[in-house]
Amino acid sequence: MKHSLFALTFLTGLASAGPVFARCEDVVPQLRPQNTFAQDIGRDFDTIIDEGWIEFALYENFAPWSFLKDGKPAGIDVEIGRLIAEDLGVTPRFRLVQADETLEGDLRNYVWKGAAVGGRVSDVMLHVPYDSEFACRVEQAVFTGQYAAETLAIGYSLTDYPDPDDIPTPAYFRYDTVAVENDSISDLYLASIGRGVVSDAIHRYPSSDRAVSAMVAGDTMAVMAPLAVIEAGISADETNGFAVHTPPLPGLVRSTWTVGVAVNQQHRDLGYAVDYAVEKALSDGRIPAIFAMHGLSFLPPER
C-alpha cells in the first residue's frame, strides 16, 4: 500500500531551492475549525485521564511499524503507543487505518474532522512525518512527539554483489534490476534520474515490504525502500544472503525524515503530555530498546 508520508517526503525533498522565508511567513492562514461539533474533534486530555484509555490511529499493513499479527496490532508504533499510554497512566487502544491519497487527508480523517461517511477521530495519530513548512499549512493539527527518523536505503543480494567494495548505488540500476513500491519516493526518484534510462530495470510492487520480499525471492538484485522495512524483510531470511546500506542519493535533498505524532489543535495539553512521555523514553533508552527488540536500527529524530 502506498503511504502518504512517502509522497510528502518526495515533494519536500525534491523541491528546488527558492526564496528564503521566516517559518510560516509565506503561508496563508486557514480557517480554524472552532465551530466543529464536539463529537468530531475527539476527547480532551482530562477526559482521556478520567476514562482511563487512549486511542492511537496507526497505518494498517505497514510492517514493521504497525500491522496485525495473530489478529492483534503489532509493530514498533504499537510498542511506542503502549509506552506513551503507560506514562499517562491509561490503557492503550489501537485503530489500524487506511492511508488516504495525501497526508492532509489522513490528518483530516483521523485527527481533526473524521471521514465524511461514518468517520471519527482518534486521540493521537502515530507515524506522522514532521516537516516545518507542512506544519505551517495544516493548522488544525499539532505535530509533536518526534520519536524516530526514517531514511531511504538500498538492500541487495550478496550473491549478485559479493564484492564489499562494489555494492549498488542508484547509478547501477540503469542495468541491474531493483524492486520499489509503486509510486513511492523510491520509484519516483529512480525514474527521475538519468532521464528515465533506469525505468526498464525498475520492478514495481504494491508495497515496500512486497518489494523487499521480491528481492529476497530472487526476482530482483536489489530493493530501494525505507531502511526499517528492508531490515525487517531481510532479517526474516535465514540464509543471511542479503545486506543493506544507505548510499548518497544525488539530487534528492531530503532522504531522511523525522516521524512523530499529531493531535487535534484544540488538545495541545494532550500534545504536551505525549511529547514529554516521548522525551523521557528517548532519554532513558526505552525507545531505542524497542527498535533493538525488533532487530532494527534506531535513527534519532530531530527534536
Side-chain angles (χ1 to χ4, degrees):
M1 174 183 292
K2 179 177 68 177
H3 288 274
S4 53
L5 60 151
F6 298 146
L8 169 67
T9 307
F10 178 78
L11 291 174
T12 56
L14 287 186
S16 59
V20 177
F21 295 96
R23 185 176 183 273
C24 300
E25 180 180 345
D26 62 332
V27 176
V28 178
Q30 301 179 9
L31 293 176
R32 296 182 182 274
Q34 287 94 340
N35 298 323
T36 307
F37 290 112
Q39 63 266 29
D40 290 334
I41 62 171
R43 302 180 305 150
D44 60 34
F45 184 44
D46 289 340
T47 300
I48 290 170
I49 299 301
D50 290 343
E51 295 185 352
W53 60 274
I54 185 170
E55 182 181 84
F56 297 95
L58 305 88
Y59 288 110
E60 66 178 6
N61 303 322
F62 192 33
W65 298 95
S66 50
F67 56 98
L68 287 178
K69 182 178 181 181
D70 299 327
K72 297 180 180 180
I76 299 168
D77 287 339
V78 172
E79 297 300 328
I80 289 174
R82 288 174 178 155
L83 180 153
I84 293 170
E86 180 182 6
D87 189 83
L88 300 182
V90 296
T91 301
R93 298 182 182 180
F94 299 102
R95 175 188 180 194
L96 270 62
V97 300
Q98 292 183 342
D100 204 330
E101 289 299 315
T102 65
L103 180 59
E104 290 96 325
D106 295 335
L107 296 169
R108 180 182 62 249
N109 291 338
Y110 309 123
V111 173
W112 64 267
K113 184 177 182 181
V117 179
R120 61 177 178 82
V121 299
S122 296
D123 300 315
V124 178
M125 186 167 188
L126 291 170
H127 213 96
V128 177
Y130 179 76
D131 176 80
S132 179
E133 293 183 6
F134 181 80
C136 291
R137 297 201 311 270
V138 182
E139 296 179 331
Q140 300 94 335
V142 173
F143 303 90
T144 186
Q146 290 81 20
Y147 55 83
E150 288 194 89
T151 191
L152 288 178
I154 292 177
Y156 56 96
S157 165
L158 294 174
T159 300
D160 293 310
Y161 302 99
D163 185 348
D165 295 322
D166 185 25
I167 56 180
T169 64
Y172 281 55
F173 304 133
R174 292 175 181 153
Y175 311 104
D176 296 356
T177 54
V178 59
V180 297
E181 176 182 346
N182 187 44
D183 286 337
S184 67
I185 181 175
S186 300
D187 183 8
L188 297 171
Y189 173 69
L190 290 180
S192 72
I193 65 175
R195 298 183 178 180
V197 296
V198 301
S199 59
D200 290 341
I202 300 173
H203 293 212
R204 297 174 172 88
Y205 297 87
S207 64
S208 289
D209 59 327
R210 291 274 295 275
V212 177
S213 296
M215 178 196 68
V216 172
D219 297 334
T220 64
M221 300 167 66
V223 62
M224 185 172 176
L227 176 63
V229 179
I230 297 176
E231 288 184 332
I234 65 178
S235 67
D237 178 74
E238 297 180 354
T239 67
N240 296 318
F242 302 91
V244 59
H245 74 130
T246 53
L249 301 175
L252 184 61
V253 176
R254 179 178 300 180
S255 59
T256 300
W257 60 99
T258 289
V259 294
V261 311
V263 301
N264 188 287
Q265 63 92 14
Q266 299 189 33
H267 304 316
R268 291 178 179 272
D269 51 351
L270 172 60
Y272 296 143
V274 170
D275 186 65
Y276 184 51
V278 169
E279 182 181 19
K280 289 190 293 183
L282 286 169
S283 297
D284 64 22
R286 283 177 290 157
I287 287 180
I290 290 173
F291 285 79
M293 179 180 65
H294 288 268
L296 305 175
S297 299
F298 171 68
L299 304 180
E302 291 187 8
R303 287 178 57 83

